[in-house]
Amino acid sequence: MTAKQLSVFIENRKGRLEEVLTVLKENKVNIISLSLADTTEYGLLRLIVNDAEKGKETLAKDGFSTLVSEVLIVKIAHKAGSLQEMLKILSKYDVNVEYMYGLSVDGQNAYVVLKTSDMEKIKQAVKENDIQTLTTEEISAL
């Protein structure tokens, strides 16, 4: 039902993102999706990869600050209003969406990575409302 997300805290300076990606490449950690947000001095790189624990270990060895967290990858129809409909259902469970980013589109469906203030409540919401989620392994196979 859930997926693991690798977060990397990086200095906001030239070449630092490439350094992260090089470490992952050299250790055969495949990136499925990423989101990069920055501030003046630091960036937060969120990644869905084929092996989050291996990514964390290899990046830590190279001095990067990393974190693995639980997220949902939600499948929604690729049509206007689908995301809003899904969020309307989830809002009934009194949780805050902390962040979300798009993963991919296969023509008929779209996928979003979702982190909320209460992952247990959101798991319940997904189960009770037949919202389809994918694991890291499932999204890797698409």
Side-chain angles (χ1 to χ4, degrees), residues 22-31 50-51 54 58:
T22 298
V23 171
L24 295 175
K25 175 186 171 187
E26 289 173 351
N27 289 279
K28 301 199 181 348
V29 177
N30 187 40
I31 299 169
N50 65 324
D51 189 338
K54 181 178 179 183
T58 59

Side-chain angles (χ1 to χ4, degrees), residues 73-76 109 111 126 129-134 138:
I73 299 175
V74 179
K75 178 181 178 179
I76 57 175
N109 299 294
Y111 303 89
V126 163
N129 292 279
D130 295 320
I131 296 172
Q132 187 175 354
T133 61
L134 290 89
E138 291 168 330

Side-chain angles (χ1 to χ4, degrees), residues 10-11 24-25 42 54 56-57 59 63 70 84 87 106 108 113 115 118 122-123 126:
I10 55 177
E11 298 90 357
L24 295 175
K25 175 186 171 187
Y42 289 93
K54 181 178 179 183
K56 178 182 178 179
E57 290 171 17
L59 287 167
E70 182 181 44
Q84 184 274 337
L87 291 174
D106 66 15
Q108 295 180 344
V113 177
K115 175 76 168 157
D118 189 330
I122 217 65
K123 287 179 196 176
V126 163

Side-chain angles (χ1 to χ4, degrees), residues 5-6 12 34 38 68 72 92 103-104 106 122 128 131:
Q5 174 186 262
L6 175 63
N12 194 1
L34 65 82
D38 73 331
V68 173
L72 286 179
K92 294 176 184 175
L103 181 62
S104 68
D106 66 15
I122 217 65
E128 290 176 359
I131 296 172

Side-chain angles (χ1 to χ4, degrees), residues 37-105:
D38 73 331
T39 63
T40 305
E41 296 181 21
Y42 289 93
L44 178 57
L45 178 62
R46 293 183 173 115
L47 303 137
I48 302 296
V49 296
N50 65 324
D51 189 338
E53 294 298 336
K54 181 178 179 183
K56 178 182 178 179
E57 290 171 17
T58 59
L59 287 167
K61 286 178 187 174
D62 276 48
F64 290 97
S65 179
T66 62
L67 172 71
V68 173
S69 56
E70 182 181 44
V71 295
L72 286 179
I73 299 175
V74 179
K75 178 181 178 179
I76 57 175
H78 190 255
K79 64 179 186 175
S82 295
L83 179 60
Q84 184 274 337
E85 290 171 15
M86 187 263 304
L87 291 174
K88 184 176 180 180
I89 291 168
L90 299 184
S91 71
K92 294 176 184 175
Y93 288 79
D94 195 34
V95 295
N96 180 46
V97 174
E98 294 177 358
Y99 59 83
M100 177 180 1
Y101 55 95
L103 181 62
S104 68
V105 176

